[in-house]
Amino acid sequence: MRDSFAREMTALAAQRSDVTLLSGDIGNRMFDRFKEVAPARFFNCGIAEANMMSLAAGMALSGLRPVIYTITPFTTTRCLEQIRVGVAYHQAPVVIVGTGSGLSYAELGPTHHSLEDMAILRTLPGLNVVAPADSAELVAQLREALNAPNPTYMRIGKKGEPALHGQDARLGIGKANLLREGSDLLVVGVGPILGEALQAAEALAPTGISVAVASLGGVKPLDGPFLAAMAERFPHWLSLEEHGITGGLGSALLEWLADRDGPAIRLRRLGVPDAFLHELGNQAYTRRQLGLDAEGLAQTIRRAIEERPQ
Amino acid sequence: MIATAPTQRSPAQLAATALTLRQRLVSTSAAAKIPHLGSCLSCVELLVQLYWQELHLDPANPEDPERDRFLLSKGHGAPILFQVLAERGFFPLERLEDFGKAGSVFHEHPPKPGYIPGIEAATGSLGHGLPMALGMALAARIQQRPSRCYALLSDGECNEGSIWEAALLAASQKVHTLTAIIDFNKWQATGRSQEVMALDPLAAKWEAFGWHAQEIDGHDFAAIGQALAAARAENERPSVIVAHTVKGKGVSFMEDDNNWHYRTPNPQELAAALAELETV
Ligand SMILES: Cc1ncc(C[n+]2csc(CCOP(=O)(O)OP(=O)(O)O)c2C)c(N)n1
Ligand SMILES: [Mg+2]
């Protein structure tokens, strides 16, 4: 996803003169092409994220379209006040990109985990909070964010995430897609971890369990019409996010469900428990430990279906 | 009462310890594929001088409230700190066999206290260690403990506003028991530290912020020892030691090559590095 981001940024910088790219001493060599195309519009702002965020707000208030890139905790919680005041309150159309989000950098420890970012940032008025599941969705959302009147926060993975969306997907901000049809239960998620859900659904199919998988693209705004249609079809949902269980996608869906009139939905939230992780391993190991890999998800789905009242 | 006094080693013994640590570091990082080798190699002498000649610590009683506090503010140097703590006796060297393994607490950054003896704070997000050390120094003053507090910073880390916020407060509070040591290896993650931000003149900046500043060769044990002694003698201002270092120091093909911020050695490179480290 990182490479798609860099490639798309280079293409956008070539097309328009208002796009700037700000990095917090991160992405070694990644932006070499961007620097060739728009040398005056790339800034290594150093390891000084708070300053970077406020100066991006200043650029945006002067008519530019700055995109900020660094490791997720450093572009979110490290400079939350700068996001809240400079970016969100001013509605300065900055695009804030957090790389290596969720557990992408699991082995780097809690300082590098980002399991609160969506929860915290979706409380800020006027800030889109998106979490593309693959590179195609990232590119579509980035283009849209750079044309939107308001700011956007985008959490992305690192590299090697598989493509999950088909050719005909409607990709963008607040646009959901059904990645896989099914009839027994709906997994509704965001981000590359949806790949695990698709594998779980595939593994369960021969056992007669039919799981649908939806990709929401982000937590704010939610795709209301899509969710309403899903609520008509599926009485049983599992939300899935590589994020803490508190305040993220699962919570956003519970809020949406609570505030609407319609058929009752049983929603169970899957994510990272409310705890810092110390015994570390890589992303695959950590997903497995937390039951968020394909196998763990398949077990959870099977249990959810077995235990549900008929 | 002063917590356990540091050991007293000859310069030759210190050099031998530094060499052993470099060998173990390079081997462990190659096996575990943990990056930041260059970052670790640049601060070996600084850590050896601190842990063997300066800090009042008792490895058998790592939570002695009277101990000095050392914070690795540049937390990505954890691989070398783990080697130092093991060699100094905080835990058996065998524990580092788990370094980088799934389920281990020994990974790229130090975890919060309680998981690894001798670790005072979780660092890894740059810009936290110095302000935390300042808090510990103020606590020692209030609690009337003899503890001195030390933070090892990187030059790139001096980009962070929080470092300069701590610098301002430490000076106004006259926290002379606080010593910051800057591993000035001239590189940060994506460029020369003097180019990314206008760091120069670094020592003069600290001095202008009200600190007692010294500039030394960060690979020279005698110079490090003298600077730490001068910091100890200062009884008004906090002290900073701007230590000129070489990123990747000790392995010729890693020296001043910032690719070793990211890379880990392949088997040939490991063999070549160890051969150099054996013939010093
Ligand atoms: C707040 C924060 N921003 C970014 C990073 C990512 N990062 C890790 S090391 C590093 C820079 C390394 O250069 P320097 O600080 O000079 O340390 P050295 O490795 O040279 O000792 C960066 C940007 C981080 N760890 N923390
Ligand atoms: Mg450096």
Side-chain angles (χ1 to χ4, degrees), chain A residues 25 44 47 49 108 278 280, chain B residues 103 109 115 126 159-160 190:
Chain A
D25 195 30
N44 182 355
I47 311 163
E49 296 81 6
L108 274 66
H278 306 285
L280 306 172
Chain B
H109 300 106
Y115 291 88
L126 293 164
N159 294 177
E160 285 288 1
T190 64

Side-chain angles (χ1 to χ4, degrees), chain A residues 18-289:
Chain A
D18 57 351
V19 171
T20 62
L21 178 56
L22 282 57
S23 146
D25 195 30
I26 277 296
N28 202 27
R29 323 278 348 227
M30 225 179 103
F31 301 123
D32 285 358
R33 282 284 298 136
F34 184 103
K35 290 184 223 174
E36 280 170 30
V37 168
R41 287 183 279 130
F42 175 83
F43 297 87
N44 182 355
C45 293
I47 311 163
E49 296 81 6
N51 175 60
M52 175 161 67
M53 192 62 67
S54 295
L55 84 84
M59 283 181 171
L61 291 173
S62 304
L64 295 180
R65 303 299 307 231
V67 178
I68 287 189
Y69 178 84
T70 189
I71 302 173
T72 306
F74 312 141
T75 198
T76 56
T77 44
R78 182 55 177 261
C79 46
L80 181 58
E81 165 88 356
Q82 283 74 14
I83 298 176
R84 178 174 171 271
V85 176
V87 175
Y89 178 43
H90 283 86
Q91 285 292 283
V94 177
V95 179
I96 303 165
V97 178
T99 188
S101 68
L103 296 166
S104 304
Y105 293 135
E107 67 273 32
L108 274 66
T111 55
H112 286 61
H113 299 164
S114 56
L115 301 169
E116 318 84 8
D117 52 308
M118 292 195 291
I120 293 170
L121 292 182
R122 81 182 178 89
T123 63
L124 297 179
L127 180 70
N128 299 324
V129 178
V130 300
D134 60 16
S135 292
E137 189 166 37
L138 182 161
V139 166
Q141 291 179 336
L142 180 60
R143 285 185 195 156
E144 195 173 326
L146 281 169
N147 290 316
N150 62 322
T152 297
Y153 165 59
M154 176 186 290
R155 55 146 37 200
I156 71 173
K158 42 182 182 184
K159 50 182 176 181
E161 290 84 2
L164 303 180
H165 287 96
Q167 295 291 340
D168 51 351
R170 325 159 24 249
L171 300 174
I173 296 174
K175 295 198 183 82
N177 286 280
L178 202 55
L179 299 180
R180 183 188 171 98
E181 265 299 354
S183 52
D184 290 324
L185 174 148
L186 175 71
V187 174
V188 43
V190 292
I193 198 166
L194 280 164
E196 305 278 359
L198 287 172
Q199 282 179 41
E202 190 69 38
L204 287 168
T207 71
I209 295 177
S210 169
V211 179
V213 179
S215 165
L216 282 196
V219 299
K220 192 179 183 180
L222 289 173
D223 188 337
F226 177 87
L227 290 175
M230 291 298 115
E232 294 297 328
R233 289 187 50 198
F234 299 95
H236 197 167
W237 296 10
L238 284 180
S239 66
L240 177 63
E241 57 199 309
E242 197 167 279
H243 184 274
I245 201 71
T246 311
L249 172 69
S251 301
L253 289 172
L254 287 173
E255 292 160 17
W256 184 85
L257 287 168
D259 289 347
R260 88 193 209 293
D261 300 314
I265 302 294
R266 281 162 51 81
L267 170 67
R268 164 123 186 253
R269 293 169 300 144
L270 301 181
V272 179
D274 185 21
F276 290 105
L277 310 173
H278 306 285
E279 273 124 35
L280 306 172
N282 64 19
Q283 184 177 31
Y285 166 84
T286 312
R287 282 182 179 174
R288 201 174 333 119
Q289 289 295 105

Side-chain angles (χ1 to χ4, degrees), chain A residues 49 78, chain B residues 39 74 76 124 126 154-156 185 187-188 247:
Chain A
E49 296 81 6
R78 182 55 177 261
Chain B
S39 320
K74 50 170 275 185
H76 60 288
L126 293 164
S154 49
D155 45 357
N185 61 23
W187 281 110
Q188 50 194 82
K247 202 158 177 172

Side-chain angles (χ1 to χ4, degrees), chain B residues 150-218:
Chain B
Y150 300 79
L152 180 63
L153 282 62
S154 49
D155 45 357
E157 189 177 11
C158 293
N159 294 177
E160 285 288 1
S162 60
I163 295 299
W164 300 100
E165 292 170 24
L168 287 166
L169 188 69
S172 80
Q173 290 289 328
K174 301 191 189 336
V175 190
H176 58 86
T177 54
L178 177 65
T179 301
I181 300 142
I182 300 175
D183 181 359
F184 195 5
N185 61 23
K186 318 296 184 295
W187 281 110
Q188 50 194 82
T190 64
R192 286 279 181 199
S193 54
Q194 281 151 309
E195 290 168 9
V196 175
M197 300 288 235
L199 270 192
D200 253 358
L202 188 54
K205 280 195 177 67
W206 286 87
E207 209 157 271
F209 273 62
W211 285 53
H212 168 231
Q214 304 177 76
E215 224 166 328
I216 60 161
D217 173 350

